[in-house]
Amino acid sequence: MDQIWATSHSLATPSLDVGLENTSISNAFTFQNLFFSSMTLTLFPDAVARQLLLMLMFMVVSFIIYLASKGHSEFLFCFRGPNTLSQQNIFKKPLYSEVLLHPVVSPAETDLKIKEVMKKLDQLIPPRHFPHVNTTTSAAHSKVTVLNPRDTYCIEEQLDLLLGVMDHLGCRKEYGGDFLKARMSSPVLKAGASGEVTDFNNGTYLVCFILFWEGQVSVLLLIHPSEGVSALWRARNQGKERVIFTGQFASGNSQVLSECGLTLNTSAELCQYLNTRDQEAFYCVRHRHVPCDALTHVTTRNRNISYLSKEEWGLFHRSSVGVEMMENFTSIEVLPCNKTENIKKCQIGMKTPFPRGYTLQRRWITAFCKQAELDAAKNINDCLKRKLIYLMGDSTLQPINYLQKVVENLLICFTSALKYFAHGTGIFKTHVLLNAERHILIQWKKHGHPFITEKLFSAKDENYIPETGQVAGDNDTAIVITHGQHFRPFPINIFICRAIKVQRAIECLLLRSPETKVILKTENTREMYLDAEMFSDFHGYIQNLIMHDIFVDLNVGIIDAWEMTIAYRINNAHPPDYVIGNQINMFLNYFC
């Protein structure tokens, strides 16, 4: 889908920011010499002629890489084989009319869908007022009972717990709404799994675990009181002013700064950067002598503002967040008994019942499908051969360093030698990784506003909705999408709107190219003691529910990073390599 931008004045055409700042220039010449050195020595013995030819070939390679970054990466793969070109046009023409592929959806229709989702969420999270912190949920006073306890259990059996919550005065609570993270584990086995929580809305909860492995198992419940949940929900939807966006405009040889945002409460003249396709806009206060299209970069910082009362903030002190329950829980013994394995290979479109898997010896094992063993580097390299992969989202979907460790000769194509093709700065440029010998191309691109970082990122590379229209698509093409972490500080309707539009973009792609693999990655859990009002995992939990609700009928694969990071007990938005590796392994099982 071509991105069409409009401003109050003309804007420059969006450009791609590609590359990593510290990549050695030698990679580019190694890539060049790989193809051309032996040929030039044979055909052009004259040294001057050889140098001229090498320079020309280097320019050609640079241009091809540039095309790849612009969404024309299919061009690189025209040498896949003689059958490829005879079977399909590299630049695929749509099988249906543009009207059908890109239906015009009225803002009223989108608003209606947003209101439907919001209604469900408001019913799930009713307002809870409290006169004093003592009347809120207390982990220490709450009671947990094992239902139908036994001395031993068998693998694949279910362990049920009944939780009755009390307040700090020891009184039984008569309503639910507490935010619970349920996890069972065996530290010796480096094993873990999340549990399913059912809220009866009367102060009792049913917590269910599937016993996946043999050995001693313990259980942990982390609780966030319902009164805090209600406060977070109200505060989140109260305003968009928690984050300050600062735009950097080019003015001759200097830079001019201006306040920007998704909305701006000011009477000053504004530059409007409107995406006419998706009807999403970004604004900056206009400088008198600087045109709107001079905006080059954006950065953000948090505003010192809160919509929580002093009493509500008391619920989010470190001592009150993620409080452990069942600290004295006696471990249970799980035996192998008659374990059965009759599940199909992992594939796109499979229903993923809860729980979706567990960890054992730090390895993620899916419960609903059979995984192939892709731990060895050779298996991964063979799997990715002749593949095009587009990663679209935030930095939690940017496994550049990990991929370079496990994929042979994977070059970061845009080096300082190719700087004139890149218009961005820093780590949030579009990255293109290439292995020309195996015909592997991997591209990462960040999602559009809101994107929160103190580091500068390019304003010329903003695409609110993934550019699926620029992807030809085939059986060797995969698109992986994630968004969520950067939306947590903003009203939930912004996230719902984006999710709806991403869902429609994927529908259009699959209508045109149903063989393309589309995979959604949910959010990682993150640090518990950050600013709860902006970044609490409760916000991520709600966004996770929304993603599953909106994408339920699409033929896509799911990498449930939320469940995985709970099972691993990783409270970090950027988990360690062994977690990233298992998320990538899940992707490869869908793709290969």
Side-chain angles (χ1 to χ4, degrees):
M1 287 175 224
D2 292 330
Q3 190 76 4
I4 303 172
W5 290 86
T7 68
S8 55
H9 299 268
S10 61
L11 276 181
T13 304
S15 57
L16 229 68
D17 300 329
V18 185
L20 288 177
E21 293 175 348
N22 300 319
T23 306
S24 170
I25 191 173
S26 62
N27 284 347
F29 289 101
T30 302
F31 174 65
Q32 165 192 309
N33 293 340
L34 180 67
F35 288 102
F36 306 127
S37 294
S38 61
M39 181 182 73
T40 53
L41 286 171
T42 304
L43 298 180
F44 297 89
D46 180 76
V48 175
R50 285 202 308 269
Q51 290 178 358
L52 289 173
L53 182 63
L54 287 173
M55 185 178 298
L56 176 62
M57 290 177 172
F58 178 77
M59 292 174 66
V60 171
V61 170
S62 302
F63 182 65
I64 290 173
I65 297 171
Y66 172 69
L67 287 179
S69 73
K70 283 292 189 182
H72 302 303
S73 47
E74 297 84 354
F75 178 77
L76 281 175
F77 291 81
C78 61
F79 48 81
R80 278 178 171 169
N83 294 329
T84 305
L85 289 176
S86 63
Q87 291 172 358
Q88 61 181 7
N89 186 347
I90 290 299
F91 296 96
K92 274 188 179 177
K93 294 183 179 179
L95 299 178
Y96 308 93
S97 69
E98 285 296 310
V99 175
L100 182 60
L101 280 179
H102 306 291
V104 177
V105 179
S106 69
E109 187 178 341
T110 300
D111 288 344
L112 182 61
K113 178 63 177 176
I114 292 172
K115 288 178 181 177
E116 289 176 1
V117 176
M118 285 293 295
K119 184 177 179 180
K120 294 179 185 177
L121 293 174
D122 284 334
Q123 291 173 346
L124 185 67
I125 317 164
R128 299 293 184 197
H129 304 289
F130 60 99
H132 192 275
V133 68
N134 284 341
T135 63
T136 66
T137 306
S138 166
H141 290 82
S142 298
K143 307 294 183 184
V144 181
T145 305
V146 178
L147 298 181
N148 303 313
R150 307 203 314 255
D151 292 335
T152 61
Y153 293 80
C154 293
I155 287 180
E156 297 182 350
E157 285 188 333
Q158 183 167 302
L159 175 67
D160 294 330
L161 308 176
L162 188 67
L163 167 65
V165 294
M166 309 281 189
D167 64 20
H168 291 268
L169 301 174
C171 299
R172 171 76 179 272
K173 295 190 67 177
E174 297 180 353
Y175 55 85
D178 298 286
F179 175 46
L180 293 169
K181 284 185 186 176
R183 179 179 184 264
M184 68 175 183
S185 65
S186 295
V188 174
L189 299 173
K190 297 178 181 177
S194 61
E196 184 175 27
V197 179
T198 302
D199 185 351
F200 294 116
N201 297 312
N202 60 1
T204 58
Y205 300 82
L206 178 65
V207 185
C208 302
F209 296 95
I210 301 299
L211 303 171
F212 286 114
W213 61 86
E214 178 184 357
Q216 296 287 324
V217 175
S218 58
V219 175
L220 175 69
L221 301 179
L222 302 178
I223 194 164
H224 216 31
S226 55
E227 295 79 9
V229 165
S230 175
L232 288 177
W233 180 243
R234 189 205 73 250
R236 175 172 185 174
N237 295 307
Q238 213 161 325
K240 304 177 183 178
E241 293 78 27
R242 292 181 184 84
V243 176
I244 300 171
F245 293 83
T246 301
Q248 180 175 290
F249 291 74
S251 178
N253 295 325
S254 62
Q255 305 291 338
V256 175
L257 302 180
S258 179
E259 184 177 0
C260 302
L262 303 178
T263 58
L264 288 175
N265 185 19
T266 177
S267 59
E269 185 179 359
L270 300 178
C271 294
Q272 180 191 57
Y273 303 94
L274 175 67
N275 180 308
T276 56
R277 183 196 66 187
D278 301 315
Q279 290 299 303
E280 296 198 29
F282 186 71
Y283 303 89
C284 292
V285 174
R286 185 183 179 187
H287 274 271
R288 198 174 208 180
H289 303 296
V290 180
C292 290
D293 61 3
L295 177 65
T296 59
H297 296 86
V298 178
T299 185
T300 70
R301 70 182 190 276
N302 297 342
R303 193 189 301 271
N304 186 20
I305 188 174
S306 173
Y307 297 99
L308 296 176
S309 68
K310 181 179 178 181
E311 291 74 23
E312 288 169 337
W313 266 115
L315 301 176
F316 302 106
H317 291 158
R318 180 179 286 260
S319 60
S320 304
V321 175
V323 180
E324 296 185 9
M325 304 177 70
M326 302 185 66
E327 290 180 324
N328 299 320
F329 179 79
T330 303
S331 298
I332 62 171
E333 182 74 18
V334 182
L335 304 176
C337 303
N338 298 317
K339 183 181 176 182
T340 61
E341 275 201 38
N342 185 24
I343 54 178
K344 297 179 180 178
K345 178 186 179 299
C346 300
Q347 54 189 321
I348 297 291
M350 296 185 79
K351 298 300 179 184
T352 57
F354 189 91
R356 295 167 185 87
Y358 61 98
T359 68
L360 183 63
Q361 299 300 339
R362 281 190 170 177
R363 178 171 171 256
W364 177 258
I365 302 170
T366 56
F368 64 92
C369 64
K370 187 175 182 180
Q371 291 170 281
E373 295 291 339
L374 292 169
D375 296 333
K378 183 180 184 303
N379 290 340
I380 296 175
N381 280 274
D382 289 344
C383 167
L384 292 179
K385 189 174 182 179
R386 307 165 75 85
K387 298 294 193 293
L388 282 165
I389 301 169
Y390 298 91
L391 308 175
M392 304 175 179
D394 55 38
S395 58
T396 66
L397 193 64
Q398 192 193 56
I400 305 301
N401 294 332
Y402 182 86
L403 288 171
Q404 285 190 297
K405 294 175 185 176
V406 298
V407 181
E408 297 172 359
N409 302 319
L410 192 62
L411 303 180
I412 301 175
C413 299
F414 279 78
T415 67
S416 55
L418 306 176
K419 185 183 291 185
Y420 48 84
F421 288 138
H423 304 282
T425 57
I427 63 174
F428 298 118
K429 295 178 181 179
T430 300
H431 302 314
V432 179
L433 305 182
L434 178 68
N435 180 317
E437 181 182 357
R438 290 178 177 269
H439 306 170
I440 300 170
L441 186 141
I442 303 170
Q443 175 183 291
W444 175 87
K445 188 172 185 178
K446 71 175 185 63
H447 64 65
H449 299 302
F451 200 84
I452 303 171
T453 174
E454 293 180 352
K455 302 181 186 298
L456 282 175
F457 60 90
S458 173
K460 301 295 186 182
D461 194 19
E462 287 307 308
N463 297 286
Y464 291 88
I465 311 305
E467 298 172 301
T468 56
Q470 293 186 9
V471 178
D474 58 27
N475 196 51
D476 290 328
T477 301
I479 298 175
V480 188
I481 299 171
T482 190
H483 65 292
Q485 296 283 353
H486 293 256
F487 288 76
R488 291 189 182 191
F490 298 92
I492 195 67
N493 65 298
I494 295 175
F495 179 83
I496 298 170
C497 181
R498 185 66 53 81
I500 290 169
K501 292 176 180 178
V502 169
Q503 186 253 7
R504 288 171 181 160
I506 293 172
E507 277 186 333
C508 292
L509 171 66
L510 294 178
L511 178 64
R512 168 168 55 84
S513 181
E515 66 274 23
T516 303
K517 308 293 192 302
V518 180
I519 295 142
L520 302 176
K521 174 190 167 293
T522 61
E523 294 178 51
N524 300 330
T525 54
R526 67 177 305 157
E527 300 81 358
M528 281 196 289
Y529 303 119
L530 289 178
D531 183 341
E533 184 175 359
M534 294 181 68
F535 298 111
S536 168
D537 268 342
F538 167 70
H539 299 317
Y541 167 71
I542 293 299
Q543 291 175 174
N544 195 22
L545 292 181
I546 292 168
M547 289 289 285
H548 283 289
D549 181 67
I550 289 177
F551 292 91
V552 65
D553 294 323
L554 276 185
N555 188 37
V556 298
I558 300 291
I559 301 173
D560 201 324
W562 179 265
E563 190 176 333
M564 291 174 74
T565 46
I566 288 178
Y568 280 110
R569 204 181 181 184
I570 300 296
N571 297 311
N572 192 325
H574 297 93
D577 273 1
Y578 65 86
V579 178
I580 294 173
N582 278 281
Q583 292 178 355
I584 291 175
N585 187 273
M586 190 69 233
F587 158 69
L588 296 176
N589 268 272
Y590 280 130
F591 196 24
C592 301

